[in-house]
Amino acid sequence: MSAVFIISAPSGSGKSTLVRELLPNDPQLVFSISYTTRAPRGQERPGVSYRYISREEFIARKDRGEFLEWAEVVGNFYGTHESVWIEAREAGKDLLLDIDVQGAQQLKEKIPDAVTIFVLAPSREILEQRLRARSEDSEQVIARRLLAAAEEIRNYHRYDYVVVNDQVTEAVETLRAILRAERVRRQRMEDRIRPILATFGESL
Ligand code: ADP
Ligand code: 5GP
């Protein structure tokens, strides 16, 4: 049974960095590529980080009910297409989503056993430093992101896990530990258990 992992964090906390470290070493995991109306940033490539579309196209897709969840974040639309979850399930893979707090709530209603993880930078000061170090946003956008961060952080209590991203290596290890433990929850083990039980015969 496929698992769904949702990671949320204020922009600049290091979520993309952690996901980038996590994915290549976990072939069971597929990343949900979202649709967005924002412009590509830095090294981002269309179809890898996001699928970049116009506001008109986004609204048309939303109105057709194509998104499992969607939200407006700092003036741009972001959404998860329903096909990502269907395709992950069909391929027997686990799905990893990097979505905001509003989207996480919408998805949790549709997929109640989704595992939710909140990533935090160690402090506001460090978050600000990381946003500046990334040097991809204007001063005005950084100020908006910091305001949005204060609002988003209030929602940490809605999440199953909280990971403080101080050192990348340690935070990635913690994420791996969460995924590993969640994957062996009894409910997700039914398909593995049945053939094992069968080897013990009909009596079990
Ligand atoms: P997000 O995806 O959450 O918006 P990024 O992954 O783009 O954040 O990280 C923001 C900036 O912080 C990047 O320049 C990244 O290299 C840096 N960064 C991420 N994690 C750490 C960390 N643990 N220590 C120091 N810098 C980090
Ligand atoms: P960024 O512009 O920094 O890549 O992302 C801004 C915010 O949008 C982040 O909090 C990110 O998690 C969120 N986000 C990215 N894709 C989606 C999505 O498909 N749905 C929702 N709800 N949020 C998303």
Side-chain angles (χ1 to χ4, degrees):
M1 189 184 155
S2 301
V4 174
F5 298 101
I6 301 175
I7 299 192
S8 299
S11 183
S13 307
K15 182 171 36 78
S16 318
T17 305
L18 302 182
V19 167
R20 233 182 353 255
E21 292 285 320
L22 196 63
L23 281 171
N25 299 308
D26 191 340
Q28 179 57 25
L29 199 58
V30 289
F31 180 66
S32 165
I33 302 167
S34 296
Y35 280 82
T36 184
T37 61
R38 85 149 162 75
R41 221 166 39 203
Q43 304 293 310
E44 290 181 355
R45 280 181 295 140
V48 179
S49 313
Y50 285 105
R51 300 190 196 288
Y52 303 94
I53 55 172
S54 66
R55 286 181 86 86
E56 291 70 31
E57 184 179 346
F58 192 99
I59 290 163
R61 286 181 181 275
K62 171 177 80 62
D63 291 346
R64 287 200 294 269
E66 290 184 21
F67 295 122
L68 270 180
E69 63 73 34
W70 69 276
E72 186 170 1
V73 184
V74 198
N76 290 300
F77 291 132
Y78 297 82
T80 304
H81 200 270
E82 58 186 358
S83 62
V84 296
W85 175 216
I86 296 167
E87 282 166 19
R89 265 194 333 229
E90 282 175 1
K93 301 276 188 186
D94 298 330
L95 188 65
L96 178 69
L97 300 107
D98 163 353
I99 60 176
D100 87 319
V101 171
Q102 310 164 68
Q105 264 176 268
Q106 293 174 46
L107 208 58
K108 191 78 187 169
E109 279 164 27
K110 292 196 174 152
I111 309 173
D113 70 347
V115 179
T116 54
I117 306 166
F118 198 78
V119 173
L120 268 175
S123 68
R124 183 193 184 281
E125 198 185 352
I126 294 175
L127 179 64
E128 188 169 351
Q129 282 168 12
R130 287 186 188 166
L131 283 169
R132 278 188 217 291
R134 192 166 68 183
S135 34
E136 284 170 356
D137 296 317
S138 65
E139 278 304 309
Q140 195 191 2
V141 171
I142 289 177
R144 284 176 78 185
R145 289 201 192 281
L146 286 169
L147 271 179
E151 197 52 49
E152 279 174 86
I153 284 168
R154 279 186 235 281
N155 289 283
Y156 79 90
H157 61 92
R158 298 181 194 276
Y159 286 73
D160 299 318
Y161 296 93
V162 175
V163 175
V164 178
N165 176 22
D166 189 354
Q167 300 298 321
V168 172
T169 320
E170 202 188 323
V172 171
E173 276 310 309
T174 307
L175 285 176
R176 281 209 184 98
I178 295 169
L179 267 58
R180 193 158 184 178
E182 284 291 342
R183 283 168 165 161
V184 293
R185 269 193 189 275
R186 183 182 34 76
Q187 305 91 296
R188 295 197 180 93
M189 291 293 284
E190 293 297 337
D191 292 350
R192 289 281 304 280
I193 294 167
R194 253 178 270 119
I196 295 172
L197 292 192
T199 66
F200 288 87
E202 293 299 316
S203 57
L204 284 176

